[in-house]
mmCIF file with all atom_site columns, all heavy atoms in Angstrom:
data_model
loop_
_atom_site.group_PDB
_atom_site.id
_atom_site.type_symbol
_atom_site.label_atom_id
_atom_site.label_alt_id
_atom_site.label_comp_id
_atom_site.label_asym_id
_atom_site.label_entity_id
_atom_site.label_seq_id
_atom_site.pdbx_PDB_ins_code
_atom_site.Cartn_x
_atom_site.Cartn_y
_atom_site.Cartn_z
_atom_site.occupancy
_atom_site.B_iso_or_equiv
_atom_site.pdbx_formal_charge
_atom_site.auth_seq_id
_atom_site.auth_comp_id
_atom_site.auth_asym_id
_atom_site.auth_atom_id
_atom_site.pdbx_PDB_model_num
ATOM 1   N N   . PRO A 1 214 ? -21.095 5.051  9.739  1.00 0.00 ? 214 PRO A N   1
ATOM 2   C CA  . PRO A 1 214 ? -20.720 3.640  9.751  1.00 0.00 ? 214 PRO A CA  1
ATOM 3   C C   . PRO A 1 214 ? -21.660 2.766  8.905  1.00 0.00 ? 214 PRO A C   1
ATOM 4   O O   . PRO A 1 214 ? -22.842 3.096  8.818  1.00 0.00 ? 214 PRO A O   1
ATOM 5   C CB  . PRO A 1 214 ? -20.715 3.180  11.192 1.00 0.00 ? 214 PRO A CB  1
ATOM 6   C CG  . PRO A 1 214 ? -20.598 4.520  11.902 1.00 0.00 ? 214 PRO A CG  1
ATOM 7   C CD  . PRO A 1 214 ? -21.246 5.558  11.130 1.00 0.00 ? 214 PRO A CD  1
ATOM 8   N N   . SER A 1 215 ? -21.192 1.884  8.207  1.00 0.00 ? 215 SER A N   1
ATOM 9   C CA  . SER A 1 215 ? -21.905 0.867  7.427  1.00 0.00 ? 215 SER A CA  1
ATOM 10  C C   . SER A 1 215 ? -22.806 0.024  8.259  1.00 0.00 ? 215 SER A C   1
ATOM 11  O O   . SER A 1 215 ? -22.656 -0.005 9.530  1.00 0.00 ? 215 SER A O   1
ATOM 12  C CB  . SER A 1 215 ? -21.025 0.122  6.553  1.00 0.00 ? 215 SER A CB  1
ATOM 13  O OG  . SER A 1 215 ? -20.291 -0.816 7.305  1.00 0.00 ? 215 SER A OG  1
ATOM 14  N N   . PRO A 1 216 ? -23.744 -0.778 7.666  1.00 0.00 ? 216 PRO A N   1
ATOM 15  C CA  . PRO A 1 216 ? -24.527 -1.673 8.477  1.00 0.00 ? 216 PRO A CA  1
ATOM 16  C C   . PRO A 1 216 ? -23.693 -2.639 9.284  1.00 0.00 ? 216 PRO A C   1
ATOM 17  O O   . PRO A 1 216 ? -24.153 -3.163 10.287 1.00 0.00 ? 216 PRO A O   1
ATOM 18  C CB  . PRO A 1 216 ? -25.309 -2.428 7.382  1.00 0.00 ? 216 PRO A CB  1
ATOM 19  C CG  . PRO A 1 216 ? -25.438 -1.454 6.264  1.00 0.00 ? 216 PRO A CG  1
ATOM 20  C CD  . PRO A 1 216 ? -24.234 -0.683 6.250  1.00 0.00 ? 216 PRO A CD  1
ATOM 21  N N   . ARG A 1 217 ? -22.489 -2.963 8.797  1.00 0.00 ? 217 ARG A N   1
ATOM 22  C CA  . ARG A 1 217 ? -21.623 -3.891 9.692  1.00 0.00 ? 217 ARG A CA  1
ATOM 23  C C   . ARG A 1 217 ? -20.847 -3.096 10.636 1.00 0.00 ? 217 ARG A C   1
ATOM 24  O O   . ARG A 1 217 ? -19.905 -3.645 11.317 1.00 0.00 ? 217 ARG A O   1
ATOM 25  C CB  . ARG A 1 217 ? -20.791 -4.674 8.754  1.00 0.00 ? 217 ARG A CB  1
ATOM 26  C CG  . ARG A 1 217 ? -19.766 -3.860 7.799  1.00 0.00 ? 217 ARG A CG  1
ATOM 27  C CD  . ARG A 1 217 ? -19.007 -4.870 6.938  1.00 0.00 ? 217 ARG A CD  1
ATOM 28  N NE  . ARG A 1 217 ? -17.954 -4.153 6.150  1.00 0.00 ? 217 ARG A NE  1
ATOM 29  C CZ  . ARG A 1 217 ? -17.036 -4.718 5.474  1.00 0.00 ? 217 ARG A CZ  1
ATOM 30  N NH1 . ARG A 1 217 ? -16.945 -6.085 5.501  1.00 0.00 ? 217 ARG A NH1 1
ATOM 31  N NH2 . ARG A 1 217 ? -16.199 -4.073 4.667  1.00 0.00 ? 217 ARG A NH2 1
ATOM 32  N N   . GLY A 1 218 ? -21.127 -1.770 10.856 1.00 0.00 ? 218 GLY A N   1
ATOM 33  C CA  . GLY A 1 218 ? -20.535 -1.008 11.884 1.00 0.00 ? 218 GLY A CA  1
ATOM 34  C C   . GLY A 1 218 ? -19.174 -0.501 11.668 1.00 0.00 ? 218 GLY A C   1
ATOM 35  O O   . GLY A 1 218 ? -18.430 -0.114 12.541 1.00 0.00 ? 218 GLY A O   1
ATOM 36  N N   . GLU A 1 219 ? -18.754 -0.444 10.358 1.00 0.00 ? 219 GLU A N   1
ATOM 37  C CA  . GLU A 1 219 ? -17.354 -0.049 9.980  1.00 0.00 ? 219 GLU A CA  1
ATOM 38  C C   . GLU A 1 219 ? -17.352 1.265  9.236  1.00 0.00 ? 219 GLU A C   1
ATOM 39  O O   . GLU A 1 219 ? -18.367 1.634  8.519  1.00 0.00 ? 219 GLU A O   1
ATOM 40  C CB  . GLU A 1 219 ? -16.722 -1.120 9.163  1.00 0.00 ? 219 GLU A CB  1
ATOM 41  C CG  . GLU A 1 219 ? -16.513 -2.424 9.846  1.00 0.00 ? 219 GLU A CG  1
ATOM 42  C CD  . GLU A 1 219 ? -15.644 -3.375 9.181  1.00 0.00 ? 219 GLU A CD  1
ATOM 43  O OE1 . GLU A 1 219 ? -15.227 -3.058 8.006  1.00 0.00 ? 219 GLU A OE1 1
ATOM 44  O OE2 . GLU A 1 219 ? -15.241 -4.406 9.735  1.00 0.00 ? 219 GLU A OE2 1
ATOM 45  N N   . ILE A 1 220 ? -16.301 2.004  9.401  1.00 0.00 ? 220 ILE A N   1
ATOM 46  C CA  . ILE A 1 220 ? -16.080 3.256  8.665  1.00 0.00 ? 220 ILE A CA  1
ATOM 47  C C   . ILE A 1 220 ? -15.361 2.857  7.374  1.00 0.00 ? 220 ILE A C   1
ATOM 48  O O   . ILE A 1 220 ? -14.237 2.621  7.265  1.00 0.00 ? 220 ILE A O   1
ATOM 49  C CB  . ILE A 1 220 ? -15.151 4.198  9.469  1.00 0.00 ? 220 ILE A CB  1
ATOM 50  C CG1 . ILE A 1 220 ? -15.731 4.511  10.827 1.00 0.00 ? 220 ILE A CG1 1
ATOM 51  C CG2 . ILE A 1 220 ? -14.984 5.602  8.713  1.00 0.00 ? 220 ILE A CG2 1
ATOM 52  C CD1 . ILE A 1 220 ? -14.829 5.236  11.764 1.00 0.00 ? 220 ILE A CD1 1
ATOM 53  N N   . GLU A 1 221 ? -16.195 2.720  6.309  1.00 0.00 ? 221 GLU A N   1
ATOM 54  C CA  . GLU A 1 221 ? -15.704 2.140  5.007  1.00 0.00 ? 221 GLU A CA  1
ATOM 55  C C   . GLU A 1 221 ? -14.845 3.120  4.275  1.00 0.00 ? 221 GLU A C   1
ATOM 56  O O   . GLU A 1 221 ? -15.095 4.330  4.141  1.00 0.00 ? 221 GLU A O   1
ATOM 57  C CB  . GLU A 1 221 ? -16.963 1.727  4.142  1.00 0.00 ? 221 GLU A CB  1
ATOM 58  C CG  . GLU A 1 221 ? -17.861 0.768  4.811  1.00 0.00 ? 221 GLU A CG  1
ATOM 59  C CD  . GLU A 1 221 ? -17.293 -0.703 4.939  1.00 0.00 ? 221 GLU A CD  1
ATOM 60  O OE1 . GLU A 1 221 ? -16.140 -0.879 4.505  1.00 0.00 ? 221 GLU A OE1 1
ATOM 61  O OE2 . GLU A 1 221 ? -18.048 -1.570 5.416  1.00 0.00 ? 221 GLU A OE2 1
ATOM 62  N N   . ILE A 1 222 ? -13.765 2.589  3.670  1.00 0.00 ? 222 ILE A N   1
ATOM 63  C CA  . ILE A 1 222 ? -12.906 3.469  2.864  1.00 0.00 ? 222 ILE A CA  1
ATOM 64  C C   . ILE A 1 222 ? -13.675 3.898  1.545  1.00 0.00 ? 222 ILE A C   1
ATOM 65  O O   . ILE A 1 222 ? -13.380 4.969  1.019  1.00 0.00 ? 222 ILE A O   1
ATOM 66  C CB  . ILE A 1 222 ? -11.630 2.704  2.503  1.00 0.00 ? 222 ILE A CB  1
ATOM 67  C CG1 . ILE A 1 222 ? -10.517 3.704  1.914  1.00 0.00 ? 222 ILE A CG1 1
ATOM 68  C CG2 . ILE A 1 222 ? -11.851 1.581  1.488  1.00 0.00 ? 222 ILE A CG2 1
ATOM 69  C CD1 . ILE A 1 222 ? -9.935  4.561  2.998  1.00 0.00 ? 222 ILE A CD1 1
ATOM 70  N N   . SER A 1 223 ? -14.569 3.050  1.084  1.00 0.00 ? 223 SER A N   1
ATOM 71  C CA  . SER A 1 223 ? -15.316 3.342  -0.085 1.00 0.00 ? 223 SER A CA  1
ATOM 72  C C   . SER A 1 223 ? -16.218 4.693  0.223  1.00 0.00 ? 223 SER A C   1
ATOM 73  O O   . SER A 1 223 ? -16.458 5.434  -0.745 1.00 0.00 ? 223 SER A O   1
ATOM 74  C CB  . SER A 1 223 ? -16.312 2.182  -0.454 1.00 0.00 ? 223 SER A CB  1
ATOM 75  O OG  . SER A 1 223 ? -15.596 1.150  -1.013 1.00 0.00 ? 223 SER A OG  1
ATOM 76  N N   . SER A 1 224 ? -16.698 4.851  1.445  1.00 0.00 ? 224 SER A N   1
ATOM 77  C CA  . SER A 1 224 ? -17.476 6.001  1.756  1.00 0.00 ? 224 SER A CA  1
ATOM 78  C C   . SER A 1 224 ? -16.621 7.287  1.679  1.00 0.00 ? 224 SER A C   1
ATOM 79  O O   . SER A 1 224 ? -17.015 8.317  1.189  1.00 0.00 ? 224 SER A O   1
ATOM 80  C CB  . SER A 1 224 ? -18.076 5.889  3.146  1.00 0.00 ? 224 SER A CB  1
ATOM 81  O OG  . SER A 1 224 ? -18.953 4.833  3.204  1.00 0.00 ? 224 SER A OG  1
ATOM 82  N N   . VAL A 1 225 ? -15.324 7.181  2.158  1.00 0.00 ? 225 VAL A N   1
ATOM 83  C CA  . VAL A 1 225 ? -14.333 8.227  1.978  1.00 0.00 ? 225 VAL A CA  1
ATOM 84  C C   . VAL A 1 225 ? -14.170 8.605  0.467  1.00 0.00 ? 225 VAL A C   1
ATOM 85  O O   . VAL A 1 225 ? -14.198 9.767  0.117  1.00 0.00 ? 225 VAL A O   1
ATOM 86  C CB  . VAL A 1 225 ? -13.027 7.955  2.621  1.00 0.00 ? 225 VAL A CB  1
ATOM 87  C CG1 . VAL A 1 225 ? -11.955 9.029  2.379  1.00 0.00 ? 225 VAL A CG1 1
ATOM 88  C CG2 . VAL A 1 225 ? -13.182 7.831  4.173  1.00 0.00 ? 225 VAL A CG2 1
ATOM 89  N N   . ASN A 1 226 ? -13.944 7.586  -0.266 1.00 0.00 ? 226 ASN A N   1
ATOM 90  C CA  . ASN A 1 226 ? -13.668 7.769  -1.704 1.00 0.00 ? 226 ASN A CA  1
ATOM 91  C C   . ASN A 1 226 ? -14.928 8.367  -2.454 1.00 0.00 ? 226 ASN A C   1
ATOM 92  O O   . ASN A 1 226 ? -14.813 9.132  -3.312 1.00 0.00 ? 226 ASN A O   1
ATOM 93  C CB  . ASN A 1 226 ? -13.156 6.501  -2.331 1.00 0.00 ? 226 ASN A CB  1
ATOM 94  C CG  . ASN A 1 226 ? -11.814 6.024  -1.904 1.00 0.00 ? 226 ASN A CG  1
ATOM 95  O OD1 . ASN A 1 226 ? -10.983 6.869  -1.484 1.00 0.00 ? 226 ASN A OD1 1
ATOM 96  N ND2 . ASN A 1 226 ? -11.653 4.756  -1.808 1.00 0.00 ? 226 ASN A ND2 1
ATOM 97  N N   . GLU A 1 227 ? -16.114 7.897  -2.043 1.00 0.00 ? 227 GLU A N   1
ATOM 98  C CA  . GLU A 1 227 ? -17.366 8.421  -2.585 1.00 0.00 ? 227 GLU A CA  1
ATOM 99  C C   . GLU A 1 227 ? -17.430 9.951  -2.349 1.00 0.00 ? 227 GLU A C   1
ATOM 100 O O   . GLU A 1 227 ? -17.911 10.664 -3.142 1.00 0.00 ? 227 GLU A O   1
ATOM 101 C CB  . GLU A 1 227 ? -18.484 7.683  -2.050 1.00 0.00 ? 227 GLU A CB  1
ATOM 102 C CG  . GLU A 1 227 ? -18.672 6.288  -2.570 1.00 0.00 ? 227 GLU A CG  1
ATOM 103 C CD  . GLU A 1 227 ? -19.871 5.603  -2.015 1.00 0.00 ? 227 GLU A CD  1
ATOM 104 O OE1 . GLU A 1 227 ? -20.402 6.068  -0.969 1.00 0.00 ? 227 GLU A OE1 1
ATOM 105 O OE2 . GLU A 1 227 ? -20.166 4.441  -2.399 1.00 0.00 ? 227 GLU A OE2 1
ATOM 106 N N   . TYR A 1 228 ? -17.087 10.367 -1.120 1.00 0.00 ? 228 TYR A N   1
ATOM 107 C CA  . TYR A 1 228 ? -17.139 11.715 -0.844 1.00 0.00 ? 228 TYR A CA  1
ATOM 108 C C   . TYR A 1 228 ? -16.278 12.556 -1.747 1.00 0.00 ? 228 TYR A C   1
ATOM 109 O O   . TYR A 1 228 ? -16.731 13.580 -2.297 1.00 0.00 ? 228 TYR A O   1
ATOM 110 C CB  . TYR A 1 228 ? -16.665 12.004 0.584  1.00 0.00 ? 228 TYR A CB  1
ATOM 111 C CG  . TYR A 1 228 ? -16.426 13.459 0.988  1.00 0.00 ? 228 TYR A CG  1
ATOM 112 C CD1 . TYR A 1 228 ? -17.509 14.270 1.384  1.00 0.00 ? 228 TYR A CD1 1
ATOM 113 C CD2 . TYR A 1 228 ? -15.126 14.016 0.904  1.00 0.00 ? 228 TYR A CD2 1
ATOM 114 C CE1 . TYR A 1 228 ? -17.324 15.639 1.662  1.00 0.00 ? 228 TYR A CE1 1
ATOM 115 C CE2 . TYR A 1 228 ? -14.912 15.394 1.148  1.00 0.00 ? 228 TYR A CE2 1
ATOM 116 C CZ  . TYR A 1 228 ? -15.990 16.173 1.458  1.00 0.00 ? 228 TYR A CZ  1
ATOM 117 O OH  . TYR A 1 228 ? -15.839 17.469 1.816  1.00 0.00 ? 228 TYR A OH  1
ATOM 118 N N   . TYR A 1 229 ? -14.990 12.218 -1.941 1.00 0.00 ? 229 TYR A N   1
ATOM 119 C CA  . TYR A 1 229 ? -14.149 12.875 -2.796 1.00 0.00 ? 229 TYR A CA  1
ATOM 120 C C   . TYR A 1 229 ? -14.650 12.800 -4.312 1.00 0.00 ? 229 TYR A C   1
ATOM 121 O O   . TYR A 1 229 ? -14.493 13.743 -5.122 1.00 0.00 ? 229 TYR A O   1
ATOM 122 C CB  . TYR A 1 229 ? -12.687 12.336 -2.731 1.00 0.00 ? 229 TYR A CB  1
ATOM 123 C CG  . TYR A 1 229 ? -12.013 12.743 -1.471 1.00 0.00 ? 229 TYR A CG  1
ATOM 124 C CD1 . TYR A 1 229 ? -11.590 11.808 -0.562 1.00 0.00 ? 229 TYR A CD1 1
ATOM 125 C CD2 . TYR A 1 229 ? -11.770 14.126 -1.109 1.00 0.00 ? 229 TYR A CD2 1
ATOM 126 C CE1 . TYR A 1 229 ? -11.053 12.139 0.783  1.00 0.00 ? 229 TYR A CE1 1
ATOM 127 C CE2 . TYR A 1 229 ? -11.235 14.506 -0.004 1.00 0.00 ? 229 TYR A CE2 1
ATOM 128 C CZ  . TYR A 1 229 ? -10.832 13.470 1.008  1.00 0.00 ? 229 TYR A CZ  1
ATOM 129 O OH  . TYR A 1 229 ? -10.210 13.852 2.154  1.00 0.00 ? 229 TYR A OH  1
ATOM 130 N N   . LEU A 1 230 ? -15.178 11.776 -4.707 1.00 0.00 ? 230 LEU A N   1
ATOM 131 C CA  . LEU A 1 230 ? -15.758 11.639 -6.049 1.00 0.00 ? 230 LEU A CA  1
ATOM 132 C C   . LEU A 1 230 ? -16.910 12.685 -6.275 1.00 0.00 ? 230 LEU A C   1
ATOM 133 O O   . LEU A 1 230 ? -16.879 13.396 -7.230 1.00 0.00 ? 230 LEU A O   1
ATOM 134 C CB  . LEU A 1 230 ? -16.334 10.201 -6.198 1.00 0.00 ? 230 LEU A CB  1
ATOM 135 C CG  . LEU A 1 230 ? -16.982 9.923  -7.569 1.00 0.00 ? 230 LEU A CG  1
ATOM 136 C CD1 . LEU A 1 230 ? -16.010 10.100 -8.672 1.00 0.00 ? 230 LEU A CD1 1
ATOM 137 C CD2 . LEU A 1 230 ? -17.667 8.488  -7.535 1.00 0.00 ? 230 LEU A CD2 1
ATOM 138 N N   . LYS A 1 231 ? -17.754 12.809 -5.214 1.00 0.00 ? 231 LYS A N   1
ATOM 139 C CA  . LYS A 1 231 ? -18.843 13.736 -5.413 1.00 0.00 ? 231 LYS A CA  1
ATOM 140 C C   . LYS A 1 231 ? -18.359 15.234 -5.396 1.00 0.00 ? 231 LYS A C   1
ATOM 141 O O   . LYS A 1 231 ? -18.916 16.091 -5.928 1.00 0.00 ? 231 LYS A O   1
ATOM 142 C CB  . LYS A 1 231 ? -19.869 13.563 -4.238 1.00 0.00 ? 231 LYS A CB  1
ATOM 143 C CG  . LYS A 1 231 ? -20.617 12.248 -4.343 1.00 0.00 ? 231 LYS A CG  1
ATOM 144 C CD  . LYS A 1 231 ? -21.573 12.013 -3.120 1.00 0.00 ? 231 LYS A CD  1
ATOM 145 C CE  . LYS A 1 231 ? -22.261 10.741 -3.186 1.00 0.00 ? 231 LYS A CE  1
ATOM 146 N NZ  . LYS A 1 231 ? -23.183 10.437 -2.036 1.00 0.00 ? 231 LYS A NZ  1
#
Side-chain angles (χ1 to χ4, degrees):
S215 66
R217 58 180 183 170
E219 296 193 351
I220 305 173
E221 303 286 3
I222 196 73
S223 290
S224 297
V225 171
N226 293 330
E227 284 174 355
Y228 169 83
Y229 288 117
L230 177 62
K231 292 176 181 177

